Structures are given as C-alpha cells and as structure tokens.
Amino acid sequence: MALTRDLLDIRTIYHEPAVGDFPLGREILARFPDAARIVVPSHWNIPELHGNAGSVEDWVRIKRSTLVLGVKKGLAMRPNGRSAHFIAPSTSNGCAMACAYCYVPRRKGYSNPISLFVNVEQACAAIARHAGRQGRLPEPDPIDPEYWVYDIGENGDLSVDAAVSDGARALVALFRTLPNAKASFATKAVNRDLLAYDPQGKTRIRFSLMPARIARIVDVRTAPIPERIAAIDDFVAAGYEVHANFSPVILYEGWEADWRALFAEIDATLSDAAKAQLKCEIIMLTHNADLHAVNLGWHPKAEDLLWRPDIQESKVSEGGGANLRYRAGWKGRWLARFKALLAETMPYCTVRYAF
C-alpha cells in the first residue's frame, strides 16, 4: 500500500492559528505546499467536517484529501490496565481509513479525517516526566514482563500518521531513552518507513488481524490482511516487538473455519523468531446504534455482519452511548471456543488479554 499515493492526497488543511509556532507544524505545512489552508479556531470545531453524518457519500474523499492540524491541550496520562498500563496523550485523532466498526468517529464527526497535534515535543516531555515518576515495574504482569507500557495511538493509526509527519518517529525515539517504559500502538496499515526508526525493542506494534474475506467488507481502506501478516517478520527484524490484535472478532455463520484458516496462514508465514515473541489480544465486537444508522447510508453490507440483535444485547457505554455487544451468556462460550481454535494452531501465541 503506497500510503501517500493510494490512501492520502492532501488538498485541504484546516489548522489552528498556533500551528505555525511549532517545528512539526511548519514541517507538515511545508510538506503540502499546494494544499489550501483554512484557519479554524479549534480542531474540534469545523462544521464542514464534524457532525457530518449526512455527508456519508463524501467520507472517502474527505479522508483522502483533508488534514487537520491542532495543538493538544490536555497532556495527562490515563490508567488503562488492558492493552497498556497507561494511555498517553494522543498525538493524533481520526484516520484516513474507514473501518465500519470504528468507535473514534462517534466523538468527532463520522468522516473524521486525520487530525495531527503538532506539539509533539510537549507530549513527549509529559510522557517522560510521568514515566520518571513510576520507577521500575514492580513485577511482571500480563501487559509486560519488564516495562510500563504506554499506548501512544489510541485515537488514530500511527503507521498512517507517519506518512504525513515525523511525530511517530519522535515518539519511537523517546521510548528508546526511557529505561522503564515501552510504547505500544495498533495498526491496520503497513508503512515500511517505520522499519528505519530503530526502536531497539522499546516499541510494540500490534497488527490488527481478522479473516481476509471479512476484512474486505469492514476494514475499509486498510492494508490487506496477507500484507499485514507478511510484514511481521520484517518489523521483528527491525527491532520492534510485534503482537497480533485479533480485533474485532465478529460472529457469523462459518466464523470458526475462517479464523482457523487465518491462524494457519499466520503459522505458515512467521519465522521462528517472530513466533517466539508473539502474543495477542482478543477483542469481541462492540457496535453502536448511532453508527449503525449512519453506516446504512454508505455501507449497508457491513451492517449485515455488525448489527446482529439476535445474538447481541444493549449496553450503555461510559459516555452514554447505546452500544451492542454479544450476549453475556454466550460471549464467554464463543470466546472460549476462539481461544481453543488459537491454541490448536498457534500454541506459542500467549493471550495477553481478551475482552
């Protein structure tokens, strides 16, 4: 996937007034000299982009051609306890991809193109101060045996962000210098520029994986699943810790056979070195009623897979949203079956957590 040709063709940049005060802001603006520039008071307040559920026919165009630049105000860490110990301040929000189940657009308008925060030095300094206060990890835990882990990509995809700016490179470089901390982020893209970042084992990349025929429906504008799998060996050789993020696990007629085939493909592709360090996360699908309604306007085929009230139940999210998840009584059984399928083919792949 040629990120800057096939996925991005930046024609319009919305930016906060202070963006030019930061080196990264000036670098990004200089990278796209022909793009129209529109000054906005806040990256959160762009009527042309945000709250645009009625513009579903323009989503792909917006995601491909639009970039938002802002200054991150809040730099606090949040405890996590699942994929990471802490969620670091986001250096981006939104994505050039358009996965039909993504939770991020619900908070910032559904097309939600990439928003980059240009004060990456401040974010790095905040992470370094926080890590410095933690001391050593007291004992090994399911998140990591040695380091405090910081998720640096909660609201975006850093592999794609790295095609636009050097913010991701700065974060990887930061964690090389922190004696007690490791970075982590999930991705559905393969950006081989990251192979030159020299992470020295201090950045964990989690490649999101699912059966390819389902990904072709719901993982819109992402790297093909075989490409993601094929990249794992190269990223391990380049010094990354590479895990699998089996997410979301979507239930449908034939799901077990599809996942068994995926596990076999992974097992046949990976080197012994990649297998020796491989661990995974398993995340069952959670859907959202508002996102379902919007998806019907642009991608109803995906909703045939995602919206299954016959096997789902309602759950109000922490933010008050009307979510659907697989029924509690059955979810545990399906999750146990998933783990059994994984163990049959990839017994070396430890499950770090399942949700």
Side-chain angles (χ1 to χ4, degrees):
M1 180 171 60
L3 293 176
T4 53
R5 185 181 70 247
D6 298 336
L7 200 62
L8 294 167
D9 181 18
I10 302 301
R11 302 295 182 90
T12 303
I13 299 177
Y14 294 88
H15 66 91
E16 294 178 354
V19 160
D21 297 338
F22 295 87
L24 187 62
R26 295 192 293 271
E27 172 210 314
I28 296 170
L29 291 172
R31 187 171 294 193
F32 303 102
D34 297 328
R37 301 180 185 180
I38 302 172
V39 179
V40 292
S42 169
H43 68 93
W44 280 105
N45 184 23
I46 306 175
E48 300 95 317
L49 301 179
H50 300 157
N52 55 355
S55 302
V56 292
E57 68 276 6
D58 289 332
W59 281 8
V60 170
R61 178 190 61 79
I62 292 170
K63 283 179 170 292
R64 187 168 190 260
S65 64
T66 303
L67 179 64
V68 180
L69 303 178
V71 179
K72 180 73 171 177
K73 305 303 189 295
L75 297 175
M77 312 295 140
R78 299 193 342 263
N80 180 246
R82 289 180 177 169
S83 183
H85 295 102
F86 303 103
I87 305 297
S90 296
T91 55
S92 70
N93 184 297
C95 188
M97 296 178 279
C99 298
Y101 49 80
C102 183
Y103 70 91
V104 175
R106 304 175 204 158
R107 303 190 329 217
K108 197 177 179 181
Y110 284 87
S111 72
N112 201 33
I114 297 175
S115 295
L116 294 179
F117 302 120
V118 298
N119 53 329
V120 66
E121 294 93 345
Q122 294 176 354
C124 287
I127 294 168
R129 289 193 299 269
H130 187 272
R133 294 193 295 268
Q134 304 310 309
R136 303 297 302 185
L137 185 70
E139 59 184 6
D141 63 25
I143 297 173
D144 198 80
E146 185 176 359
Y147 300 113
W148 296 105
V149 177
Y150 290 75
D151 192 317
I152 58 173
E154 182 189 31
N155 294 319
D157 191 308
L158 266 67
S159 295
V160 181
D161 297 347
V164 180
S165 85
D166 284 333
R169 184 191 293 270
L171 288 163
V172 172
L174 166 70
F175 280 90
R176 280 202 308 264
T177 71
L178 301 181
N180 64 335
K182 175 186 291 182
S184 178
F185 67 92
T187 184
K188 297 183 181 74
V190 177
N191 184 346
R192 292 186 172 272
D193 289 347
L194 273 66
L195 296 172
Y197 283 11
D198 189 26
Q200 298 179 15
K202 299 299 293 298
T203 293
R204 172 187 297 163
I205 291 184
R206 296 152 17 234
F207 279 106
S208 296
L209 301 173
M210 67 170 65
R213 76 180 184 94
I214 303 303
R216 284 192 290 269
I217 298 171
V218 300
D219 271 12
V220 182
R221 308 190 81 231
T222 64
I225 294 295
E227 183 179 344
R228 301 182 212 177
I229 296 171
I232 292 175
D233 276 359
D234 293 338
F235 277 80
V236 170
Y240 289 94
E241 181 182 38
V242 183
H243 288 183
N245 185 6
F246 297 128
S247 168
V249 177
I250 301 169
L251 302 179
Y252 52 90
E253 191 71 29
W255 69 269
E256 292 173 284
D258 284 352
W259 279 99
R260 185 184 286 109
L262 175 66
F263 296 149
E265 180 181 359
I266 296 169
D267 181 66
T269 302
L270 297 192
S271 66
D272 289 342
K275 291 177 181 178
Q277 57 86 67
L278 186 68
K279 296 182 180 180
C280 73
E281 305 167 357
I282 304 168
I283 305 173
M284 305 288 282
L285 172 71
T286 297
H287 201 26
N288 176 268
D290 290 341
L291 182 57
H292 165 67
V294 172
N295 282 351
L296 290 176
W298 79 284
H299 195 16
K301 187 176 181 181
E303 289 305 300
D304 292 340
L305 289 165
L306 303 177
W307 188 259
R308 291 290 308 276
D310 56 321
I311 58 173
Q312 292 168 327
E313 62 184 6
S314 298
K315 177 191 177 186
V316 178
S317 71
E318 293 179 3
N323 289 349
L324 264 73
R325 65 180 181 186
Y326 295 120
R327 293 180 182 175
W330 286 96
K331 180 180 176 181
R333 300 181 194 182
W334 288 322
L335 183 56
R337 181 58 183 150
F338 186 96
K339 291 180 179 179
L341 291 171
L342 175 65
E344 288 173 12
T345 308
M346 300 169 57
Y348 47 83
C349 184
T350 301
V351 178
R352 287 201 304 107
Y353 89 94
F355 175 69

